[in-house]
Amino acid sequence: MSGHRPPAGPHSPVRTRVIALDGADNSGKTTQLRLLRRATGDEVGVGGGVHHYLPRWPELTGAELAHWWFTESRSEELVGLLLEGYARRLDALTGRHPWVILDRGLATVEAGCVASVMLKDGRSARDAEALVAGVRAEVLGDRAPEAYSVLLSLGPAADGAALSVGRERVADERYRRYQHLLHTALETRRSRHDAVIEADRAAIVDVQNQLRAELAQVGLHTRPLLEDVRHVVGLGGLSESGKSSAGEYLRRRFGTTRLKLGYLVDLAAARHGLATPYEEEPALLAELVVDELDRYARAHYYLLDYTIESLHRPGLTRELKRLIGERLSVVYLDAAAPVRARRSLVDPAALARNDEVKLSRGADEIAGECDLLIDNTGPRPGLELALDRLMTGADASPAAASLRMAGPLELPAPMALRRAAATTLTGLRAALGERLLLFVVAGSVGFGTADPELSDLDVLVGVEAGTTADLAGALARLRGELEVKLGVTVLTRHELLLQRCDSRTFSTLHSLKQGRIGCQYVSDDLELPDFGAPQRHQQTVQYLARTLHELRRPLLGVETSPYALYKTVLNAAKMLLRLAGVEETDPSAISALFDRMFPAPDRARIPGRAEYREMGREEIAAVAASVLEWFERYLAADPAPVAPVRPPRTHRTTVGVPL
């Protein structure tokens, strides 16, 4: 928060800018201001209900207050009191804070007055508006104190009123009519607002961030809430249902950060002095948990995805979902009691006691409201497959809208390879029809580094499940027609979605999503997830390990062509460069970068393609052996020793103290 200042003292008034947050009942104004207040501290003063500022307001609640409001009070009296409360609230807050935000600005107060008059007296909207305008002129004169106003809209009057009523525990017919009139009166004032936020279906945090963005337009700058959080997986379930296993799998596979719900609650309790935090209202506790998650994510801005264990309270879980929205996936893990007993490290009596505590909190009720229910009774691969679907599906998007398209004849490759690519695509489309989902030319041809004498045509094909026989027949025909060697990698729709592929294919898909290579065909309904970090780093480590294995095999006597050995040497260097953050595909550039970034005077230099053609098999094998030996030393090397830092010697004189 920039410009943060403590509140002014009683003898040092400050210039106050007044902002109004308008909206009907249950539109979320109070919650939004509470979230904003935690982020801004004393710089912002919040004005609550106008009746708090009225000494003449009747001391009634519930049904008695409603009876006075709609039956006993005169319309002029009620409108005058509400507008007087608005004026007194302004006077009480002005000069104490640089910013004041009103929970219900003048537009909302007026709309409430109009709706009340129409309902009380049966007046038309025109007559009610005239009465309110007259009383306003008497009470406020021509004052226009609000510098900026924001409306939280719940949609058209009928829809908005239904939402407002639906969020009440009890609502009679009179209250329903009042809400419809209130929403209608607010809609007529829509154009008076500087900004309108559609809050009817949005998550509370998303509305908060829209509000913060709007307030930044007038100089009140506040950092977005959960700005550094992309996805949160909340894990619920009884003891030994697999919550910890799920959290650890997500950490290893997708790089999520594991947090305990109790840890966040303890932080909130310590920060706000709550002796018994779980006795707080679920909505308030959920806000405090989100605040702590935001603080953690802000300090660890490089972490984007989180798991939270363990969700045992349905009320708190429900409020967290309302706050975070689609960014929170609530997962409930279920498992049969005998299976949980076999997994348990405690005796059956202790497990039963643990279950009893969780059930008393309503832990099992989360199963009926979760986003994903996983039966974790069976083998572990079933759990991991379900989690893969959750994580990859969360960021999947239509491939046709995101990939760079490049026809086969547009490839940056020799004409013979371009024609072969076009022939292959035509043949596969004819054989598979709509079952062909994706066709990508990969390898040196796709990257534009093909050698007309050495390069093969490598393609990545996405298909529907059950097409292997037809695909095999089409490839057999194509290999009889083509004058180049054809290499094919095949993945089904779900293998693509779940990222179930080897490290080399993962690299190709990453390059495809990044636009570094083009796509020659993609179906309109294919979705692809994000093939990005941290999985890509893990895949690169695996690719390097596989490449070193392939490099060692021919040196141990396994028959391999000289060109395959040469490509393996290049791939090993390319993988290490990738781990260093450098992406390169041209052989000469790979060789030069490898020598510059990882210098070794006793290691053979990797030749370029032109040099390779002049070399014999034994010479290539000697280069491969030299590079492999260097990699073995590189992986085994101890860290460079660091000389200890000794503090400078100082001369001290001791007087009167025997040593």
Side-chain angles (χ1 to χ4, degrees), residues 372 374 381-391 498 500:
L372 176 63
I374 299 177
L383 168 65
E384 295 178 353
L385 183 60
L387 294 173
D388 282 355
R389 290 193 185 102
L390 171 71
M391 297 300 289
L498 298 176
R500 295 296 179 98

Side-chain angles (χ1 to χ4, degrees), residues 196-207:
V196 177
I197 298 175
E198 301 299 337
D200 51 341
R201 304 296 177 188
I204 292 173
V205 166
D206 293 338
V207 173

Side-chain angles (χ1 to χ4, degrees), residues 83 92 177 187 193 232 252 266 435 465 526 569 573 603 653 659:
L83 291 170
R177 293 202 309 273
E187 283 297 305
H193 293 88
V232 179
R252 287 187 290 102
D266 288 345
R435 293 176 295 168
L526 178 65
V569 173
R603 183 188 66 220
T653 301
L659 299 178

Side-chain angles (χ1 to χ4, degrees), residues 47 59 72 77 175 210 212 276 322 419 478 549 585:
E59 296 183 2
E72 290 187 359
E77 174 192 15
Y175 184 75
Q210 290 183 60
R212 294 185 183 190
T276 53
R322 288 185 61 230
R419 287 173 178 162
L478 285 167
H549 175 68
T585 55

Side-chain angles (χ1 to χ4, degrees), residues 83-107:
L83 291 170
E84 180 187 345
Y86 173 84
R88 286 177 176 270
R89 182 176 59 174
L90 282 174
D91 294 339
L93 296 171
T94 301
R96 298 177 55 192
H97 304 273
W99 301 88
V100 165
I101 304 183
L102 304 178
D103 185 344
R104 294 177 179 83
L106 186 56

Side-chain angles (χ1 to χ4, degrees), residues 379-415:
R380 185 182 177 117
L383 168 65
E384 295 178 353
L385 183 60
L387 294 173
D388 282 355
R389 290 193 185 102
L390 171 71
M391 297 300 289
T392 56
D395 62 7
S397 58
S402 60
L403 302 185
R404 178 172 66 86
M405 302 303 297
L409 297 179
E410 300 172 2
L411 290 166
M415 180 54 72

Side-chain angles (χ1 to χ4, degrees), residues 19-22 27-37 40 44 46 101-102 148-152 195-199 202-225:
I19 296 172
L21 183 61
D22 286 308
S27 58
K29 300 181 297 300
T30 304
T31 299
Q32 294 300 333
L33 291 178
R34 207 162 47 229
L35 293 172
L36 184 66
R37 187 72 168 79
T40 58
V44 173
V46 174
I101 304 183
L102 304 178
Y148 198 76
S149 63
V150 179
L151 172 65
L152 298 185
V196 177
I197 298 175
E198 301 299 337
I204 292 173
V205 166
D206 293 338
V207 173
Q208 174 71 191
N209 289 336
Q210 290 183 60
L211 176 61
R212 294 185 183 190
E214 294 297 342
L215 298 184
Q217 302 298 314
V218 290
L220 182 54
H221 297 282
T222 312
R223 189 181 184 278
L225 187 59

